């Protein structure tokens, strides 16, 4: 058998996948080989194959060969659908899944570009994942917020606050109406602001604001770090009565996230997923891994909310893509609970009606600069944001609402509308 025939053995366009196969969709551009051979090479390298024919295949290897069952032209390249027998995958091990379906294939010379677009785990595979502990319903319950979007603010600048300065800002933000204080992604623990001291002081402030306002307030505290450090930090958060942890899920990787999902369950903590570094592989539509795949896998593991983009703010990610991801995160999916999409990046009060019109109320809205840049400070910024959201929900125009909200009026003067 020639090498090409060997690769074509992984292609059968008449094949109908079984219910217990895992389907993966790829976009690819062949480099000097036929589209069939290129697709066959993807299926081969991501399942059982190597670069040459072999002297022998054990029975299980033969049964585990992935099959390209659909191949269609798309733009500059092709879309292939590949069926993977479950014998290829370890139960409940997302790290292993990605080392197969998003592994060596990205480096193959036979492809100019390759993008992992989507994957469809059958129930037999999915059942080994717990998904989120709380999800939308659980979070709405513990926050006591029935049907409006949740609000969050990252104190900006991203860095440089002492614990006492940070506690003061937190007091202002929470008192002004923000539900969730959020640490920035690169803000963890420093000589001028140690995590342990921040935990102690910030939850005390939270308790005070809760008593004063009668509202539930939470803190998306950034525990990101090596797994053993994250575990200790999560224990501290739980000991101080925190309900949430924030993890930057791409930089920590699937292994650490799966580990922390277990820790979070033991401690009763919800997980806020930030996604710094995702754009290194999600941004080029012809290469890498789609944000949809990242969000789907994170939901499987069990984050309770994840950043997905805004379409109207400062980050890349167009409306259609964000809409599709958010729709998926909120949909029913076997035993895996729906989770909150987080809209963040370049938002300000003037954008609220459009944001809510586009994505609805099941949303966490994070506004950093657009609150912290308010001419009258964070409390006024928080109030302006809350009023803008209220207006959007009541169906009142921002101009109208601004007549009774001087904070909103000033925010609109500074940042305008859409
Ligand atoms: C937003 C933010 C978030 C980004 C992440 C920032 O601040 O804190 O990390 O939104 O991007 O550092 O830029 P602003 P994404 O509200 O001041 O813009 O949500 O797209 O993952
Ligand atoms: Mg940030």
């Amino acid at each position: 058998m020639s090498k090409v025939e060997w690769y074509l053995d992984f292609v059968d366009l008449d094949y109908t996948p079984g219910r217990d196969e895992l389907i993966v969709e790829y976009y690819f551009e062949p480099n000097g080989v036929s589209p069939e051979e290129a697709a066959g090479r993807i299926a081969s390298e991501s399942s059982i194959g190597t670069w040459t024919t072999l002297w022998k295949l054990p029975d299980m290897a033969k049964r585990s060969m992935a099959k390209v069952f659909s191949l269609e032209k798309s733009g500059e390249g092709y879309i292939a659908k590949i069926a993977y027998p479950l014998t290829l995958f370890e139960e409940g091990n997302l790290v292993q899944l990605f080392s197969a379906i998003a592994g060596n294939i990205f480096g193959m010379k036979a492809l100019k570009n390759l993008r992992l677009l989507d994957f469809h785990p059958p129930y037999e595979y999915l059942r080994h994942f717990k998904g989120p502990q709380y999800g939308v319903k659980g979070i709405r319950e513990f926050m006591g917020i029935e049907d409006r979007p949740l609000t969050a603010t990252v104190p900006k600048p991203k860095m440089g606050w002492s614990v006492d300065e940070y506690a003061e800002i937190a007091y202002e933000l929470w008192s002004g109406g923000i539900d969730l204080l959020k640490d920035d992604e690169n803000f963890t623990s420093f000589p001028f602001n140690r995590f342990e001291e921040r935990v102690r002081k910030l939850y005390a402030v939270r308790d005070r604001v809760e008593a004063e306002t009668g509202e539930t307030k939470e803190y998306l505290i950034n525990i990101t770090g090596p797994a053993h450090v994250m575990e200790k930090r999560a224990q501290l958060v739980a000991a101080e009565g925190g309900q949430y942890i924030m993890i930057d899920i791409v930089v920590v990787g699937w292994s650490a996230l799966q580990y922390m999902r277990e820790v979070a369950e033991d401690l009763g903590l919800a997980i806020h997923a930030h996604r710094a570094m995702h754009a290194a592989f999600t941004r080029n539509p012809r290469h890498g891994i789609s944000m949809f795949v990242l969000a789907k896998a994170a939901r499987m593991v069990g984050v309770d909310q994840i950043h997905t983009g805004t379409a109207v703010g400062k980050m890349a990610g167009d409306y259609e893509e964000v809409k599709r991801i958010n729709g998926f995160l909120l949909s029913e999916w076997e035993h895996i609970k729906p989770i909150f999409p987080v809209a963040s990046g370049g938002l300000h009060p003037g954008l609220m009606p459009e944001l809510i019109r586009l994505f609805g109320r099941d949303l966490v809205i994070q506004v950093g600069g657009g609150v912290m840049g308010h001419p009258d400070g964070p409390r006024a910024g928080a109030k302006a944001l809350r009023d803008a959201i209220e207006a959007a929900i009541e169906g009142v125009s921002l101009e109208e609402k601004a007549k009774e909200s001087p904070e909103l009026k000033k925010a609109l003067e500074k940042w305008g509308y859409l």
Side-chain angles (χ1 to χ4, degrees), residues 288-318:
I289 301 176
S290 71
M291 183 56 214
F292 192 82
V293 166
L294 181 67
K296 195 180 226 185
R299 180 178 171 191
M300 249 166 89
V301 173
V303 307
D304 296 277
Q305 53 202 45
I306 181 168
H307 288 236
T308 62
T310 66
V312 295
K314 73 180 182 187
M315 306 304 253
D318 66 28

PDB file of all heavy atoms in Angstrom, residues 288-318:
ATOM      1  N   GLY A 288      -6.075  27.824  13.664  1.00  0.00           N
ATOM      2  CA  GLY A 288      -6.157  27.826  15.127  1.00  0.00           C
ATOM      3  C   GLY A 288      -7.369  27.060  15.636  1.00  0.00           C
ATOM      4  O   GLY A 288      -7.804  26.073  15.037  1.00  0.00           O
ATOM      5  N   ILE A 289      -7.906  27.532  16.723  1.00  0.00           N
ATOM      6  CA  ILE A 289      -9.044  26.873  17.372  1.00  0.00           C
ATOM      7  C   ILE A 289     -10.105  27.938  17.575  1.00  0.00           C
ATOM      8  O   ILE A 289      -9.796  29.060  18.014  1.00  0.00           O
ATOM      9  CB  ILE A 289      -8.618  26.288  18.738  1.00  0.00           C
ATOM     10  CG1 ILE A 289      -7.483  25.266  18.547  1.00  0.00           C
ATOM     11  CG2 ILE A 289      -9.796  25.654  19.461  1.00  0.00           C
ATOM     12  CD1 ILE A 289      -6.919  24.706  19.842  1.00  0.00           C
ATOM     13  N   SER A 290     -11.361  27.608  17.289  1.00  0.00           N
ATOM     14  CA  SER A 290     -12.396  28.642  17.397  1.00  0.00           C
ATOM     15  C   SER A 290     -12.728  28.922  18.860  1.00  0.00           C
ATOM     16  O   SER A 290     -12.574  28.062  19.735  1.00  0.00           O
ATOM     17  CB  SER A 290     -13.662  28.199  16.661  1.00  0.00           C
ATOM     18  OG  SER A 290     -14.279  27.155  17.378  1.00  0.00           O
ATOM     19  N   MET A 291     -13.212  30.124  19.104  1.00  0.00           N
ATOM     20  CA  MET A 291     -13.677  30.488  20.448  1.00  0.00           C
ATOM     21  C   MET A 291     -14.846  29.590  20.844  1.00  0.00           C
ATOM     22  O   MET A 291     -15.041  29.282  22.018  1.00  0.00           O
ATOM     23  CB  MET A 291     -14.076  31.974  20.462  1.00  0.00           C
ATOM     24  CG  MET A 291     -14.499  32.485  21.816  1.00  0.00           C
ATOM     25  SD  MET A 291     -13.241  32.241  23.114  1.00  0.00           S
ATOM     26  CE  MET A 291     -14.287  31.940  24.537  1.00  0.00           C
ATOM     27  N   PHE A 292     -15.613  29.163  19.846  1.00  0.00           N
ATOM     28  CA  PHE A 292     -16.744  28.278  20.133  1.00  0.00           C
ATOM     29  C   PHE A 292     -16.252  26.983  20.797  1.00  0.00           C
ATOM     30  O   PHE A 292     -16.825  26.515  21.786  1.00  0.00           O
ATOM     31  CB  PHE A 292     -17.479  27.959  18.822  1.00  0.00           C
ATOM     32  CG  PHE A 292     -18.807  27.312  19.036  1.00  0.00           C
ATOM     33  CD1 PHE A 292     -19.920  28.073  19.321  1.00  0.00           C
ATOM     34  CD2 PHE A 292     -18.944  25.932  18.975  1.00  0.00           C
ATOM     35  CE1 PHE A 292     -21.156  27.484  19.549  1.00  0.00           C
ATOM     36  CE2 PHE A 292     -20.170  25.323  19.199  1.00  0.00           C
ATOM     37  CZ  PHE A 292     -21.284  26.105  19.478  1.00  0.00           C
ATOM     38  N   VAL A 293     -15.187  26.428  20.268  1.00  0.00           N
ATOM     39  CA  VAL A 293     -14.611  25.200  20.838  1.00  0.00           C
ATOM     40  C   VAL A 293     -14.125  25.447  22.264  1.00  0.00           C
ATOM     41  O   VAL A 293     -14.376  24.647  23.176  1.00  0.00           O
ATOM     42  CB  VAL A 293     -13.448  24.683  19.948  1.00  0.00           C
ATOM     43  CG1 VAL A 293     -12.618  23.634  20.673  1.00  0.00           C
ATOM     44  CG2 VAL A 293     -13.996  24.127  18.644  1.00  0.00           C
ATOM     45  N   LEU A 294     -13.447  26.582  22.453  1.00  0.00           N
ATOM     46  CA  LEU A 294     -12.925  26.891  23.791  1.00  0.00           C
ATOM     47  C   LEU A 294     -14.077  27.014  24.798  1.00  0.00           C
ATOM     48  O   LEU A 294     -14.024  26.454  25.900  1.00  0.00           O
ATOM     49  CB  LEU A 294     -12.121  28.203  23.736  1.00  0.00           C
ATOM     50  CG  LEU A 294     -11.485  28.654  25.039  1.00  0.00           C
ATOM     51  CD1 LEU A 294     -10.392  27.688  25.468  1.00  0.00           C
ATOM     52  CD2 LEU A 294     -10.889  30.061  24.902  1.00  0.00           C
ATOM     53  N   ALA A 295     -15.126  27.723  24.392  1.00  0.00           N
ATOM     54  CA  ALA A 295     -16.258  27.941  25.300  1.00  0.00           C
ATOM     55  C   ALA A 295     -16.988  26.625  25.593  1.00  0.00           C
ATOM     56  O   ALA A 295     -17.393  26.361  26.731  1.00  0.00           O
ATOM     57  CB  ALA A 295     -17.214  28.968  24.697  1.00  0.00           C
ATOM     58  N   LYS A 296     -17.129  25.804  24.562  1.00  0.00           N
ATOM     59  CA  LYS A 296     -17.834  24.526  24.730  1.00  0.00           C
ATOM     60  C   LYS A 296     -17.067  23.619  25.705  1.00  0.00           C
ATOM     61  O   LYS A 296     -17.641  23.024  26.626  1.00  0.00           O
ATOM     62  CB  LYS A 296     -17.952  23.847  23.363  1.00  0.00           C
ATOM     63  CG  LYS A 296     -18.937  22.715  23.287  1.00  0.00           C
ATOM     64  CD  LYS A 296     -18.937  22.149  21.863  1.00  0.00           C
ATOM     65  CE  LYS A 296     -20.334  21.944  21.351  1.00  0.00           C
ATOM     66  NZ  LYS A 296     -20.412  21.300  20.028  1.00  0.00           N
ATOM     67  N   ALA A 297     -15.759  23.553  25.499  1.00  0.00           N
ATOM     68  CA  ALA A 297     -14.938  22.689  26.355  1.00  0.00           C
ATOM     69  C   ALA A 297     -14.933  23.209  27.795  1.00  0.00           C
ATOM     70  O   ALA A 297     -14.984  22.427  28.749  1.00  0.00           O
ATOM     71  CB  ALA A 297     -13.519  22.626  25.796  1.00  0.00           C
ATOM     72  N   ALA A 298     -14.893  24.524  27.944  1.00  0.00           N
ATOM     73  CA  ALA A 298     -14.887  25.109  29.299  1.00  0.00           C
ATOM     74  C   ALA A 298     -16.207  24.817  30.015  1.00  0.00           C
ATOM     75  O   ALA A 298     -16.235  24.546  31.221  1.00  0.00           O
ATOM     76  CB  ALA A 298     -14.644  26.612  29.219  1.00  0.00           C
ATOM     77  N   ARG A 299     -17.299  24.850  29.265  1.00  0.00           N
ATOM     78  CA  ARG A 299     -18.601  24.521  29.862  1.00  0.00           C
ATOM     79  C   ARG A 299     -18.645  23.045  30.273  1.00  0.00           C
ATOM     80  O   ARG A 299     -19.177  22.695  31.337  1.00  0.00           O
ATOM     81  CB  ARG A 299     -19.734  24.835  28.863  1.00  0.00           C
ATOM     82  CG  ARG A 299     -21.111  24.513  29.421  1.00  0.00           C
ATOM     83  CD  ARG A 299     -22.226  24.879  28.452  1.00  0.00           C
ATOM     84  NE  ARG A 299     -23.506  24.349  28.936  1.00  0.00           N
ATOM     85  CZ  ARG A 299     -24.621  24.315  28.239  1.00  0.00           C
ATOM     86  NH1 ARG A 299     -24.661  24.815  27.009  1.00  0.00           N
ATOM     87  NH2 ARG A 299     -25.730  23.799  28.755  1.00  0.00           N
ATOM     88  N   MET A 300     -18.079  22.199  29.444  1.00  0.00           N
ATOM     89  CA  MET A 300     -18.019  20.771  29.777  1.00  0.00           C
ATOM     90  C   MET A 300     -17.276  20.541  31.083  1.00  0.00           C
ATOM     91  O   MET A 300     -17.718  19.800  31.955  1.00  0.00           O
ATOM     92  CB  MET A 300     -17.225  20.058  28.671  1.00  0.00           C
ATOM     93  CG  MET A 300     -18.005  19.157  27.803  1.00  0.00           C
ATOM     94  SD  MET A 300     -17.013  18.749  26.344  1.00  0.00           S
ATOM     95  CE  MET A 300     -16.151  17.310  26.929  1.00  0.00           C
ATOM     96  N   VAL A 301     -16.115  21.187  31.203  1.00  0.00           N
ATOM     97  CA  VAL A 301     -15.321  21.026  32.424  1.00  0.00           C
ATOM     98  C   VAL A 301     -16.093  21.573  33.615  1.00  0.00           C
ATOM     99  O   VAL A 301     -16.122  20.968  34.690  1.00  0.00           O
ATOM    100  CB  VAL A 301     -13.958  21.755  32.311  1.00  0.00           C
ATOM    101  CG1 VAL A 301     -13.218  21.727  33.637  1.00  0.00           C
ATOM    102  CG2 VAL A 301     -13.115  21.110  31.233  1.00  0.00           C
ATOM    103  N   GLY A 302     -16.727  22.745  33.410  1.00  0.00           N
ATOM    104  CA  GLY A 302     -17.570  23.226  34.496  1.00  0.00           C
ATOM    105  C   GLY A 302     -17.292  24.626  35.001  1.00  0.00           C
ATOM    106  O   GLY A 302     -17.443  24.881  36.192  1.00  0.00           O
ATOM    107  N   VAL A 303     -16.921  25.549  34.105  1.00  0.00           N
ATOM    108  CA  VAL A 303     -16.889  26.949  34.553  1.00  0.00           C
ATOM    109  C   VAL A 303     -18.342  27.428  34.589  1.00  0.00           C
ATOM    110  O   VAL A 303     -19.204  26.905  33.900  1.00  0.00           O
ATOM    111  CB  VAL A 303     -16.022  27.840  33.638  1.00  0.00           C
ATOM    112  CG1 VAL A 303     -14.638  27.236  33.464  1.00  0.00           C
ATOM    113  CG2 VAL A 303     -16.665  28.086  32.281  1.00  0.00           C
ATOM    114  N   ASP A 304     -18.604  28.438  35.423  1.00  0.00           N
ATOM    115  CA  ASP A 304     -19.978  28.928  35.574  1.00  0.00           C
ATOM    116  C   ASP A 304     -20.254  30.142  34.700  1.00  0.00           C
ATOM    117  O   ASP A 304     -21.407  30.512  34.487  1.00  0.00           O
ATOM    118  CB  ASP A 304     -20.255  29.259  37.039  1.00  0.00           C
ATOM    119  CG  ASP A 304     -20.185  28.015  37.899  1.00  0.00           C
ATOM    120  OD1 ASP A 304     -21.192  27.298  37.967  1.00  0.00           O
ATOM    121  OD2 ASP A 304     -19.104  27.723  38.462  1.00  0.00           O
ATOM    122  N   GLN A 305     -19.203  30.798  34.248  1.00  0.00           N
ATOM    123  CA  GLN A 305     -19.346  31.923  33.329  1.00  0.00           C
ATOM    124  C   GLN A 305     -18.022  32.112  32.608  1.00  0.00           C
ATOM    125  O   GLN A 305     -16.967  31.805  33.144  1.00  0.00           O
ATOM    126  CB  GLN A 305     -19.756  33.197  34.076  1.00  0.00           C
ATOM    127  CG  GLN A 305     -18.883  33.569  35.246  1.00  0.00           C
ATOM    128  CD  GLN A 305     -19.612  34.481  36.237  1.00  0.00           C
ATOM    129  OE1 GLN A 305     -20.767  34.250  36.585  1.00  0.00           O
ATOM    130  NE2 GLN A 305     -18.944  35.540  36.660  1.00  0.00           N
ATOM    131  N   ILE A 306     -18.129  32.628  31.370  1.00  0.00           N
ATOM    132  CA  ILE A 306     -16.895  32.781  30.575  1.00  0.00           C
ATOM    133  C   ILE A 306     -17.012  33.988  29.643  1.00  0.00           C
ATOM    134  O   ILE A 306     -18.092  34.242  29.091  1.00  0.00           O
ATOM    135  CB  ILE A 306     -16.598  31.491  29.764  1.00  0.00           C
ATOM    136  CG1 ILE A 306     -15.297  31.656  28.952  1.00  0.00           C
ATOM    137  CG2 ILE A 306     -17.741  31.105  28.843  1.00  0.00           C
ATOM    138  CD1 ILE A 306     -14.775  30.358  28.357  1.00  0.00           C
ATOM    139  N   HIS A 307     -15.912  34.704  29.497  1.00  0.00           N
ATOM    140  CA  HIS A 307     -15.871  35.839  28.573  1.00  0.00           C
ATOM    141  C   HIS A 307     -16.085  35.348  27.139  1.00  0.00           C
ATOM    142  O   HIS A 307     -15.438  34.371  26.717  1.00  0.00           O
ATOM    143  CB  HIS A 307     -14.505  36.524  28.631  1.00  0.00           C
ATOM    144  CG  HIS A 307     -14.272  37.291  29.886  1.00  0.00           C
ATOM    145  ND1 HIS A 307     -13.944  38.626  29.892  1.00  0.00           N
ATOM    146  CD2 HIS A 307     -14.347  36.938  31.190  1.00  0.00           C
ATOM    147  CE1 HIS A 307     -13.805  39.052  31.139  1.00  0.00           C
ATOM    148  NE2 HIS A 307     -14.043  38.035  31.958  1.00  0.00           N
ATOM    149  N   THR A 308     -16.954  36.039  26.400  1.00  0.00           N
ATOM    150  CA  THR A 308     -17.200  35.624  25.013  1.00  0.00           C
ATOM    151  C   THR A 308     -17.119  36.779  24.033  1.00  0.00           C
ATOM    152  O   THR A 308     -17.225  36.569  22.835  1.00  0.00           O
ATOM    153  CB  THR A 308     -18.592  34.970  24.866  1.00  0.00           C
ATOM    154  OG1 THR A 308     -19.593  35.936  25.209  1.00  0.00           O
ATOM    155  CG2 THR A 308     -18.743  33.747  25.738  1.00  0.00           C
ATOM    156  N   GLY A 309     -16.994  38.007  24.523  1.00  0.00           N
ATOM    157  CA  GLY A 309     -16.935  39.161  23.613  1.00  0.00           C
ATOM    158  C   GLY A 309     -18.201  39.991  23.692  1.00  0.00           C
ATOM    159  O   GLY A 309     -19.153  39.640  24.400  1.00  0.00           O
ATOM    160  N   THR A 310     -18.191  41.094  22.962  1.00  0.00           N
ATOM    161  CA  THR A 310     -19.292  42.063  23.094  1.00  0.00           C
ATOM    162  C   THR A 310     -19.862  42.504  21.747  1.00  0.00           C
ATOM    163  O   THR A 310     -20.932  43.056  21.679  1.00  0.00           O
ATOM    164  CB  THR A 310     -18.781  43.356  23.756  1.00  0.00           C
ATOM    165  OG1 THR A 310     -17.840  43.977  22.859  1.00  0.00           O
ATOM    166  CG2 THR A 310     -18.103  43.104  25.075  1.00  0.00           C
ATOM    167  N   ALA A 311     -19.103  42.338  20.685  1.00  0.00           N
ATOM    168  CA  ALA A 311     -19.427  42.857  19.349  1.00  0.00           C
ATOM    169  C   ALA A 311     -19.399  44.390  19.299  1.00  0.00           C
ATOM    170  O   ALA A 311     -19.130  44.956  18.256  1.00  0.00           O
ATOM    171  CB  ALA A 311     -20.762  42.326  18.837  1.00  0.00           C
ATOM    172  N   VAL A 312     -19.660  45.062  20.421  1.00  0.00           N
ATOM    173  CA  VAL A 312     -19.725  46.534  20.378  1.00  0.00           C
ATOM    174  C   VAL A 312     -18.533  47.196  21.080  1.00  0.00           C
ATOM    175  O   VAL A 312     -18.354  48.400  20.986  1.00  0.00           O
ATOM    176  CB  VAL A 312     -21.035  47.076  21.009  1.00  0.00           C
ATOM    177  CG1 VAL A 312     -22.244  46.645  20.211  1.00  0.00           C
ATOM    178  CG2 VAL A 312     -21.164  46.639  22.467  1.00  0.00           C
ATOM    179  N   GLY A 313     -17.704  46.418  21.757  1.00  0.00           N
ATOM    180  CA  GLY A 313     -16.627  47.008  22.563  1.00  0.00           C
ATOM    181  C   GLY A 313     -15.282  47.037  21.862  1.00  0.00           C
ATOM    182  O   GLY A 313     -15.201  47.119  20.638  1.00  0.00           O
ATOM    183  N   LYS A 314     -14.199  46.886  22.664  1.00  0.00           N
ATOM    184  CA  LYS A 314     -12.855  47.124  22.115  1.00  0.00           C
ATOM    185  C   LYS A 314     -12.176  45.869  21.555  1.00  0.00           C
ATOM    186  O   LYS A 314     -11.135  45.977  20.922  1.00  0.00           O
ATOM    187  CB  LYS A 314     -11.976  47.736  23.217  1.00  0.00           C
ATOM    188  CG  LYS A 314     -11.541  46.747  24.323  1.00  0.00           C
ATOM    189  CD  LYS A 314     -10.668  47.395  25.382  1.00  0.00           C
ATOM    190  CE  LYS A 314     -10.221  46.366  26.412  1.00  0.00           C
ATOM    191  NZ  LYS A 314      -9.515  46.920  27.547  1.00  0.00           N
ATOM    192  N   MET A 315     -12.734  44.686  21.831  1.00  0.00           N
ATOM    193  CA  MET A 315     -12.052  43.460  21.437  1.00  0.00           C
ATOM    194  C   MET A 315     -12.632  42.881  20.134  1.00  0.00           C
ATOM    195  O   MET A 315     -13.799  43.084  19.826  1.00  0.00           O
ATOM    196  CB  MET A 315     -12.166  42.399  22.538  1.00  0.00           C
ATOM    197  CG  MET A 315     -11.704  42.837  23.908  1.00  0.00           C
ATOM    198  SD  MET A 315     -10.010  43.430  23.934  1.00  0.00           S
ATOM    199  CE  MET A 315      -9.178  42.096  24.763  1.00  0.00           C
ATOM    200  N   ALA A 316     -11.788  42.106  19.417  1.00  0.00           N
ATOM    201  CA  ALA A 316     -12.242  41.458  18.186  1.00  0.00           C
ATOM    202  C   ALA A 316     -13.287  40.391  18.531  1.00  0.00           C
ATOM    203  O   ALA A 316     -13.352  39.915  19.661  1.00  0.00           O
ATOM    204  CB  ALA A 316     -11.059  40.816  17.473  1.00  0.00           C
ATOM    205  N   GLY A 317     -14.082  39.998  17.578  1.00  0.00           N
ATOM    206  CA  GLY A 317     -15.147  38.994  17.814  1.00  0.00           C
ATOM    207  C   GLY A 317     -16.428  39.589  17.251  1.00  0.00           C
ATOM    208  O   GLY A 317     -16.965  40.529  17.832  1.00  0.00           O
ATOM    209  N   ASP A 318     -16.878  39.081  16.083  1.00  0.00           N
ATOM    210  CA  ASP A 318     -18.034  39.750  15.473  1.00  0.00           C
ATOM    211  C   ASP A 318     -19.349  39.254  16.063  1.00  0.00           C
ATOM    212  O   ASP A 318     -19.403  38.264  16.794  1.00  0.00           O
ATOM    213  CB  ASP A 318     -18.009  39.633  13.938  1.00  0.00           C
ATOM    214  CG  ASP A 318     -18.191  38.199  13.480  1.00  0.00           C
ATOM    215  OD1 ASP A 318     -18.828  37.411  14.211  1.00  0.00           O
ATOM    216  OD2 ASP A 318     -17.691  37.863  12.397  1.00  0.00           O
TER     217      ASP A 318
END
